[in-house]
Amino acid sequence: MVLIKGRDKKNYVGGFALSVLAMAISQAVWAEDEVVDGAEIQVQLAPLVIKGVATKPNVPQNVTSTSTVEGVTAKQISESMNAVTSAAALQYLPSVHVRERYIGDVNGILVMRANSSIASAQTVVYADGMLLSNLLGNSFNYAPRWGMVSPSEIDRVDVIYGPFSALYPGNSAGGIVNITTKMPNKFEFHGGVDVFQQHYKLFGTNSNYYGNHETAAIGNRVGDVSFLAGIDHFDNTGEPMTFGNQPAATTGGAGGLGVVNGAISYVNPANVRTLVTSAIGIDHSVQDNAKFKVAYDFSPAVRATYTLGIWDNTSYKTSNSYLTNAAGQTIYGGAVKINGLNYNVTPPATSAQISQYYMNALKLKSDTGGRWDWEVDASVFNQGKDNVRTATGANGAALAGNINSATATNGTIVIADGTGWKNLDLRGDFRPDGDLKSVHQLSYGFHTDQYVLRSATYNLIAGSSFMGSSPTGASTANSRGQTQTQALYLQDAWQMSSAWKLVAGGRMENWQATEGANNVGLGTQKIYSNRTVNAFSPKVSLNYQASEDWDLRGSYGVGTRFPTVNELFSNLTVTPAPAPAGYGANNPNLKPETVNSVEFTVERHLANGLWRNSLFSEDKRNAIITTTDTATLPGYTITGNVNVDKVRTVGFETALESKNAWIAGLDFSGSATWVNSIITANAGNPLLVGTNQPRIPRFRTTLSGTYHLNELLSLSANYRYSSAQQVSLWTVTGNPNPNPDVYGTTVSRYSVVDIKALYKFEKLWSASFGINNLTNCQYFVNPNPYPMRTYFVSLKYDM
């Protein structure tokens, strides 16, 4: 019996991509059952499908009965993806996108069906049961800690859609990622080298940016003990993240620094002509990851695993000015004359981040398949060191673009040492009939977590070296606090008959926020009252196997997403700085988000694959969304979090996975997703009603094909599309961004082609060449550019 599981990517691009997908589906649906050597190949029916592989996903059995699950294996990653980070392994799964603005971006937010590219706390990422999601906050600054997992470690990645299982917290409303890493059964050695390069051209930037990635791992199994030790080194320079711009001037006169050249004029997303004067945020990041895992088998069914991970990152973000004076000197800022008009140019910023994070995890698991099984997952993540230094630079011809320049002014340092989280999960399974065929499978468990925020901002001493041991001055702001959640859950999977299966359960949670405090250096320290909230989240799913070829599933689930410690207690962003005395609070009274989700799924098992169609919806109450307020404090712009009363999202997703599609050796997958997300109620600001939830694209598409010419050579091509997205809450009539596909405050559409060729030689060696963004599509995410055409060359050794 052949077990076919499959899934893949996101999809839609006008009529073309849907036509291609429709043709693929129609041909696959009406294909005859394949006969090999006179024996009919049967497809094992299962509500779960995992992308084209015969291995089971790293997902509990009764989760696969409640939720749509997609996946990708290490083999598929190796053959079809130019992946030098673990985040890149997800890019072709349906309705999934990682906001990796450049390779190695530490702010790579996971985006799924109905969560935005700045809502990091609405999805959850695990690696072998360890939490990688940074649930300290809910924005682009709180991406999963992808760097804790090297791409060479990955055995498979599984994605679960929706809050339909009681085993996971309310953050799962957007989706769940389970990364499974490798563990050796015999002596193994793995090594690899990747080099990559992109040429980026925009405004006054016309440069090549280079990167390299090296990895090595060694492991073995001796008796009941197995271990794996690995190191991963990454070094890359990304393209500029922002560009300094000045609204067009309207008056003449004499600029204090004289006439300068090099400014570039363009029309921004609001159709306003603007001058660009500099490239900002050119990040040179060096990341090192060391990992050690050791496992001990107490018996064939009981294993203990300990993991120690250390991740080190040094990031320098430099800037280049386009402006030069008559003497050929580079001018970074100040009063200048451009095209006969006066401008007061703000010097571009520079910054540096030095981080060292530690993760310890312990897993104890029994896997007998009998009457009782259990599992313990405990992990601690600590930001041992997290320092970010920022300086705006100086006016005139100073070396403001030099990160070590002593001329940098207005320097600050943010110290977040000691921030982190702890998680503990105690899980159990009870099967009354004594095996996996039990009519009932009862899952139950206890969860507790704690998130601690420690952040303080200081001035740097004027005139000192920006990097290194530059001393700190007066404190300008601080934020402190912690949250804690305790949960009990129970879920039963009841096989009512050979065709019907009911899964029902619930999750009871108690959430507390304590020790909250902050200030902005101009007023007294604000101390916030402790808070506690209780919530119950019911779940139910009904599966029906209509025939050997058709499966149907309907699922309903409530997910409660509690405010993060950063949303509650971090300082508001107030411009211009400094904020008035006493204005240091964010929103400590935020209500939890509550999501009511429904999904109806129909799966058609094919002779060589699977076709899935899912209709999904979610009603979100008290949605926590970042907004900009200019009315509360006249003369200032305040950026913070608010509760929006109700957001309704509906969507449709179709996905096809086919092996040996059309011709032998060709594996094809494709998906298309349509989503409509609308604010339907908001008493605090009724003008928002009827507008779109920010950063949810209406259409997504992916198409992917890998052709195996023979056992040694494979060729792959992948396509990704997304429609444009609204950036933030807006209440005006009409389109606030009439020119959405240019640099600026917009999330533009994109249409990207990636290719790869992999060749295996000398049995243990493989080499690959690939190109991401083959057509050199230029696209943006408010306002940061994504990479342009990027070349990859890789060499790997696997023993």
Side-chain angles (χ1 to χ4, degrees):
M1 180 175 289
V2 176
L3 176 59
I4 296 177
K5 299 184 174 258
R7 209 72 87 237
D8 65 295
K9 302 153 201 22
K10 21 188 182 214
N11 200 351
Y12 182 93
V13 54
F16 173 75
L18 285 181
S19 298
V20 173
L21 184 58
M23 288 189 295
I25 291 172
S26 63
Q27 292 195 30
V29 166
W30 300 111
E32 295 292 332
D33 287 344
E34 184 179 353
V35 176
V36 179
D37 294 332
E40 183 181 17
I41 294 180
Q42 297 180 349
V43 177
Q44 179 176 320
L45 295 175
L48 158 73
V49 288
I50 293 298
K51 187 175 173 162
V53 292
T55 56
K56 293 183 179 180
N58 183 33
V59 178
Q61 182 183 1
N62 62 9
V63 173
T64 67
S65 299
T66 65
S67 309
T68 296
V69 183
E70 300 283 355
V72 63
T73 66
K75 182 176 183 292
Q76 293 168 317
I77 296 170
S78 174
E79 289 179 345
S80 63
M81 304 179 193
N82 301 307
V84 294
T85 66
S86 58
L90 295 161
Q91 294 286 33
Y92 306 120
L93 292 167
S95 306
V96 177
H97 170 68
V98 178
R99 175 189 169 272
E100 198 171 27
R101 301 164 300 167
Y102 52 93
I103 300 173
D105 183 7
V106 297
N107 292 331
I109 302 301
L110 173 63
V111 183
M112 293 182 66
R113 285 174 174 170
N115 74 292
S116 79
S117 58
I118 55 173
S120 58
Q122 293 176 1
T123 55
V124 194
V125 180
Y126 299 95
D128 300 321
M130 301 180 299
L131 181 71
L132 297 185
S133 287
N134 184 356
L135 301 181
L136 290 161
N138 183 44
S139 76
F140 59 84
N141 284 324
Y142 296 92
R145 299 307 188 189
W146 303 108
M148 299 300 295
V149 176
S150 167
S152 63
E153 293 180 70
I154 296 175
D155 184 57
R156 64 175 302 115
V157 180
D158 296 296
V159 176
I160 306 170
Y161 296 80
F164 303 120
S165 172
L167 279 64
Y168 297 101
N171 306 84
S172 67
I176 305 156
V177 171
N178 283 323
I179 300 174
T180 306
T181 64
K182 302 171 185 176
M183 205 66 190
N185 289 315
K186 59 181 181 179
F187 178 78
E188 295 183 5
F189 177 79
H190 307 276
V193 176
D194 305 288
V195 293
F196 39 97
Q197 177 259 327
Q198 74 154 317
H199 182 83
Y200 197 85
K201 183 177 181 181
L202 182 63
F203 303 128
T205 298
N206 189 0
S207 301
N208 291 314
Y209 298 101
Y210 299 91
N212 57 274
H213 171 238
E214 296 82 33
T215 186
I218 187 171
N220 199 1
R221 181 183 177 94
V222 181
D224 294 327
V225 178
S226 55
F227 74 90
L228 184 70
I231 56 173
D232 191 272
H233 176 76
F234 175 90
D235 187 330
N236 182 47
T237 300
E239 73 277 9
M241 284 293 94
T242 59
F243 295 87
N245 56 79
Q246 306 291 326
T250 57
T251 60
L257 294 173
V259 175
V260 296
N261 298 307
I264 297 169
S265 176
Y266 91 112
V267 178
N268 70 15
N271 269 342
V272 175
R273 184 158 294 280
T274 304
L275 285 182
V276 176
T277 59
S278 60
I280 304 172
I282 304 169
D283 185 12
H284 179 203
S285 180
V286 179
Q287 303 174 19
D288 291 290
N289 173 26
K291 180 76 67 69
F292 177 72
K293 295 171 60 180
V294 61
Y296 179 74
D297 293 333
F298 293 96
S299 72
V302 179
R303 167 176 283 195
T305 306
Y306 170 73
T307 302
L308 171 64
I310 303 173
W311 182 75
D312 185 273
N313 177 45
T314 301
S315 168
Y316 298 153
K317 293 181 174 67
T318 58
S319 302
N320 292 327
S321 175
Y322 299 153
L323 304 179
T324 58
N325 61 15
Q329 295 176 302
T330 299
I331 302 298
Y332 283 90
V336 297
K337 181 182 286 293
I338 302 173
N339 299 329
L341 299 177
N342 282 346
Y343 294 84
N344 189 19
V345 175
T346 301
T350 56
S351 67
Q353 180 172 6
I354 299 177
S355 304
Q356 192 168 81
Y357 301 157
Y358 302 91
M359 174 167 281
N360 289 271
L362 177 66
K363 175 190 284 287
L364 298 170
K365 183 176 182 179
S366 79
D367 191 11
T368 66
R371 180 168 279 107
W372 296 95
D373 272 316
W374 51 268
E375 181 176 345
V376 177
D377 285 295
S379 62
V380 177
F381 184 94
N382 180 259
Q383 296 181 181
K385 185 173 186 179
D386 194 279
N387 296 173
V388 180
R389 298 169 183 262
T390 304
T392 59
N395 291 329
L399 298 176
N402 182 351
I403 201 73
N404 291 302
S405 173
T407 62
T409 61
N410 301 325
T412 62
I413 180 171
V414 179
I415 300 175
D417 301 359
T419 293
W421 60 82
K422 302 174 183 177
N423 278 265
L424 173 66
D425 282 280
L426 308 176
R427 305 181 186 275
D429 289 298
F430 173 60
R431 308 175 187 97
D433 297 336
D435 58 29
L436 293 174
K437 297 180 181 179
S438 179
V439 173
H440 289 273
Q441 178 165 308
L442 200 65
S443 295
Y444 53 92
F446 169 76
H447 168 86
T448 183
D449 60 51
Q450 183 183 66
Y451 296 88
V452 178
L453 172 67
R454 298 286 184 268
S455 178
T457 304
Y458 301 88
N459 283 326
L460 294 176
I461 300 299
S464 65
S465 173
F466 179 60
M467 285 298 296
S469 58
S470 51
T472 59
S475 171
T476 61
N478 65 56
S479 301
R480 291 180 174 272
Q482 67 180 39
T483 60
Q484 180 174 318
T485 305
Q486 293 184 324
L488 292 171
Y489 66 82
L490 179 67
Q491 182 166 286
D492 182 32
W494 176 20
Q495 189 72 52
M496 296 185 293
S497 70
S498 59
W500 292 90
K501 188 173 188 177
L502 176 68
V503 184
R507 189 178 182 95
M508 177 67 75
E509 295 171 294
N510 173 265
W511 171 85
Q512 298 178 25
T514 60
E515 301 181 15
N518 65 7
N519 70 42
V520 292
L522 297 178
T524 60
Q525 183 87 354
K526 289 196 171 186
I527 308 296
Y528 300 107
S529 300
N530 296 342
R531 293 178 59 198
T532 184
V533 177
N534 294 315
F536 176 70
S537 301
K539 323 278 184 175
V540 63
S541 180
L542 183 63
N543 295 259
Y544 175 55
Q545 182 178 311
S547 69
E548 291 184 355
D549 296 329
W550 292 95
D551 281 341
L552 294 82
R553 181 177 63 251
S555 299
Y556 168 78
V558 175
T560 303
R561 204 277 283 181
F562 299 103
T564 65
V565 64
N566 187 274
E567 286 173 314
L568 293 169
F569 303 131
S570 69
N571 293 307
L572 290 165
T573 301
V574 182
T575 56
Y583 228 90
N586 200 348
N587 191 345
N589 298 312
L590 283 172
K591 302 175 184 177
E593 293 180 335
T594 302
V595 174
N596 288 267
S597 292
V598 177
E599 181 183 72
F600 297 99
T601 293
V602 178
E603 295 177 341
R604 170 70 158 95
H605 296 265
L606 311 173
N608 58 350
L610 188 139
W611 176 31
R612 173 180 60 83
N613 291 279
S614 297
L615 179 66
F616 57 90
S617 70
E618 80 169 28
D619 284 333
K620 182 182 294 184
R621 299 181 184 275
N622 298 316
I624 302 175
I625 298 177
T626 302
T627 188
T628 299
D629 175 11
T630 58
T632 300
L633 200 60
Y636 293 86
T637 297
I638 304 170
T639 302
N641 299 291
V642 297
N643 284 118
V644 173
D645 290 348
K646 188 174 181 180
V647 179
R648 176 171 297 157
T649 301
V650 296
F652 175 75
E653 182 179 85
T654 183
L656 171 70
E657 174 75 19
S658 181
K659 296 181 69 66
N660 294 316
W662 303 295
I663 60 175
L666 175 62
D667 296 340
F668 170 82
S669 56
S671 70
T673 306
W674 172 85
V675 176
N676 186 31
S677 187
I678 300 294
I679 295 172
T680 57
N682 193 49
N685 188 348
L687 293 177
L688 291 174
V689 175
T691 62
N692 294 329
Q693 182 182 182
R695 303 206 185 199
I696 307 294
R698 186 64 56 91
F699 299 108
R700 289 187 177 110
T701 292
T702 34
L703 301 172
S704 181
T706 298
Y707 180 53
H708 302 89
L709 282 81
N710 50 51
E711 293 183 356
L712 302 179
L713 178 63
S714 63
L715 303 175
S716 297
N718 302 284
Y719 175 74
R720 297 176 282 136
Y721 171 83
S722 174
S723 60
Q725 303 164 42
Q726 177 183 310
V727 170
S728 58
L729 294 172
W730 58 281
T731 60
V732 299
T733 301
N735 189 348
N737 295 123
N739 189 24
D741 294 326
V742 299
Y743 169 80
T745 54
T746 183
V747 182
S748 62
R749 76 193 72 191
Y750 60 79
S751 184
V752 177
V753 176
D754 306 325
I755 61 173
K756 184 175 183 177
L758 173 68
Y759 182 71
K760 301 175 183 178
F761 60 96
E762 294 294 333
K763 190 177 180 179
L764 302 178
W765 292 88
S766 64
S768 65
F769 171 76
I771 304 174
N772 277 2
N773 197 356
L774 178 67
T775 58
N776 224 19
C777 173
Q778 199 157 59
Y779 58 115
F780 308 91
V781 54
N782 185 45
N784 313 131
Y786 281 106
M788 296 181 70
R789 186 184 297 123
T790 306
Y791 298 89
F792 298 81
V793 177
S794 301
L795 180 66
K796 291 182 170 53
Y797 178 85
D798 295 286
M799 176 186 289

